[in-house]
Each structure stands twice: as structure tokens, then as C-alpha cells.
Amino acid sequence: MMWENKTVIVTGSTKGIGRGIAEAFAKAGANLVLNGRQNEAPDLLASFAAYKGQVIYVPGNVQHLEDAKRIIKEGMNAFGQIDVLVNNAGITQDTLLLRMKEEQFEQVIDVNLTGSFRMIQQVTPILMKQRFGTIINIASVIGEVGNVGQANYAASKAGMIGLTKSVAKELASRQITCNAIAPGFIETDMTEAMNDRMKETIQDQIPLKRLGSPEDVAKVALFLAEHRYITGQVINVDGGMVMQG
Ligand code: NAI
């Protein structure tokens, strides 16, 4: 597929997996709408300057409907069309169930799940008019198998999988596809926050015995955006973790 003159929005793309996904599309020639909560990566635009496509940065919090609207509007103003939305912005607030405050549960759901819903709902009229488009939701293997200390996160990611399948069914007749990627443990700031013992324990649970990279996830995002006959699927990029249950 030719990516020139196509537009890709990636939420939470100042670092980590989102940035890796944005780079993969930019390398392929697409125009990019980058996003993060605020101006948190001063070097960001400069680091994309080498790529063919044009890149804009729109700060915004996916917890706010107005921000979701603005991210899409600024993308349309700059490039005139939206071809791919990647819902990648996400947070964790890990703690055991009995200690988890309702706010901690709700905040993780609000960013990861409701944030994705807000973005999808805002972009859908544009994709429907175009009769073309792809939505990719970055879920997690934890949404499929659960995890101690991550009831909020697992619920949000399981919710994203249900959202993905429903959106895929609703929009299929317009040739709009919607898929989820379920990464396992990927080397980013999110996993860097874990101590060495935790990391070792985790590596033991991964059949491939190593963490993945943002590029591993990005390759699959590009693949899903290019394949027009795959929809409603969850693709695990987890070194085999989902098989362990
Ligand atoms: P990260 O912490 O390195 O980056 C998160 C990005 O999201 C940042 O750009 C941040 O600004 C943005 N963000 C956070 N809250 C936001 C909000 N309310 N509005 C807009 N942007 C916001 O995280 P990482 O590891 O790159 O994770 C990215 C996605 O991948 C998340 O959805 C995460 O749940 C998912 N994931 C990560 C895994 C990992 O092992 N790192 C494994 C499975 C899924």
C-alpha cells in the first residue's frame, strides 16, 4: 500500500510503543498526527524530520472529549483526511484489589477504554464518509489472562477487546476495519518501572524468554493497516505469553 498522502493518528506517541508505531508509519511515507498529554517531548518533531511525510503534534488528554475532538480536527485541518487511528494512549495504576481505590479503577478505565471510545466515536463520521479507514486498538495480553495487582488495567484492556469487535461489526459494511493488538511485555518506560526481580519473574513466563520492542508491535500495526480483509481480530505480540494463561 502507498502511504503517501495518508494520515495516521497515534494517541500517546511521545514515547514507547506509540512512538514506535508512529515512526513505522512515517518511514512508510504517511503523514502523522502525534499526541501526548502535554508538550512532553521537545525533541519529538525534530526526530521525525527525516521522514517523507509531514508530522504535527497535538497535545491533548484522551480523558477529555474536547481534546479528542481537537486532535481529530487539527489532523483534518492539516491533512484533509484521516486513514488510520491508533488508540495507544494508556496508563497503569497497579495495586492489589483490596487496596484499590475507586478513583484508581476509574481513572485507568477512563484513559485506556473510554479514551479509545471517545477517539473512535469522533473519527467514525470521517471514516464513514471516506468509506475507508482502519482503527487499531492497543490492548494487552493482560486483558486476556488477567494479572495480580492489575484488576483495573486488565478490565480496561478486556473492554478494549470487546469494543474492537463491536466497532468491527458496526463499521464493516463501510469497509472500515477495526482490530486490536495485545502486546505482552515490551521494553518501554511502563515496564522500566518494574524492579529487576519482577522483570526476571516475567521473563520466565514468556515462552520466548525475552521482552519485545516497540518495533515488534509497530510492524503488526502497519500489517493490520495494510490488510483490508482482516477485521475484529486480536493479534498477540507477546512472545507466546497468552498460551501460558
Ligand atoms: P508509555 O508510558 O511509555 O507511553 C504512554 C504514552 O501515552 C505517552 O506518550 C503518554 O503521554 C501517553 N498518555 C498517557 N495518558 C494519556 C492521556 N490521558 N491522553 C493522551 N496521552 C496519554 O507506555 P507504553 O509502554 O509505550 O504503552 C503504550 C500502550 O501499550 C498502552 O496502552 C499500554 O497499556 C500498552 N501496552 C504496553 C505494554 C508494555 O509492556 N509496555 C504491554 C501491553 C500493552
Side-chain angles (χ1 to χ4, degrees):
M1 181 161 150
M2 299 292 286
W3 283 102
E4 280 91 53
N5 300 319
K6 302 270 188 224
T7 308
V8 181
I9 299 180
V10 186
T11 64
S13 40
T14 57
K15 56 183 183 153
I17 294 173
R19 188 163 176 161
I21 292 173
E23 279 168 0
F25 280 104
K27 274 184 200 158
N31 296 327
L32 261 297
V33 179
L34 305 179
N35 154 263
R37 251 169 314 193
Q38 59 281 104
N39 290 312
E40 46 200 271
D43 67 313
L44 190 64
L45 288 180
S47 79
F48 278 78
Y51 306 126
K52 243 182 292 161
Q54 293 175 56
V55 180
I56 61 167
Y57 178 69
V58 186
N61 183 340
V62 297
Q63 290 178 276
H64 301 142
L65 180 61
E66 289 312 311
D67 289 15
K69 285 184 180 167
R70 193 164 40 77
I71 295 164
I72 287 157
K73 194 166 164 234
E74 291 195 21
M76 282 300 277
N77 288 346
F79 305 123
Q81 71 189 68
I82 310 289
D83 299 282
V84 181
L85 166 66
V86 182
N87 284 309
N88 166 82
I91 58 165
T92 52
Q93 281 209 32
D94 301 350
T95 191
L96 294 174
L97 188 68
L98 290 179
R99 289 199 201 124
M100 193 175 284
K101 299 199 169 53
E102 199 172 312
E103 299 96 88
Q104 290 175 309
F105 190 87
E106 285 186 341
Q107 203 194 353
V108 171
I109 298 280
D110 195 41
V111 175
N112 300 1
L113 176 57
T114 320
S116 301
F117 161 75
R118 289 184 190 98
M119 292 297 297
I120 291 171
Q121 202 180 43
Q122 292 308 309
V123 86
T124 292
I126 296 168
L127 303 187
M128 282 173 76
K129 216 185 255 170
Q130 292 171 181
R131 290 188 148 266
F132 179 84
T134 306
I135 298 163
I136 298 169
N137 296 319
I138 308 301
S140 168
V141 67
I142 302 304
E144 299 169 295
V145 302
N147 197 16
V148 172
Q150 292 199 305
N152 49 2
Y153 184 76
S156 76
K157 296 298 185 179
M160 285 177 78
I161 292 173
L163 175 67
T164 300
K165 294 183 182 182
S166 304
V167 169
K169 285 190 174 173
E170 276 196 40
L171 303 184
S173 65
R174 309 290 182 121
Q175 298 305 314
I176 298 163
T177 61
C178 181
N179 293 288
I181 299 177
F185 283 93
I186 308 296
E187 264 181 282
T188 68
D189 286 356
M190 196 178 263
T191 41
E192 188 54 40
M194 296 184 306
N195 62 36
D196 286 349
R197 239 194 61 217
M198 260 172 90
K199 279 189 204 159
E200 263 171 42
T201 317
I202 279 159
Q203 289 207 12
D204 281 348
Q205 297 169 1
I206 307 172
L208 288 178
K209 298 285 176 230
R210 59 188 169 85
L211 272 64
S213 68
E215 293 70 42
D216 290 325
V217 180
K219 278 183 203 155
V220 177
L222 199 63
F223 167 86
L224 286 173
E226 291 186 341
H227 276 257
R228 307 301 310 147
Y229 207 58
I230 298 176
T231 196
Q233 302 304 302
V234 184
I235 312 289
N236 281 74
V237 183
D238 65 358
M241 266 184 85
V242 72
M243 297 187 291
Q244 310 285 75

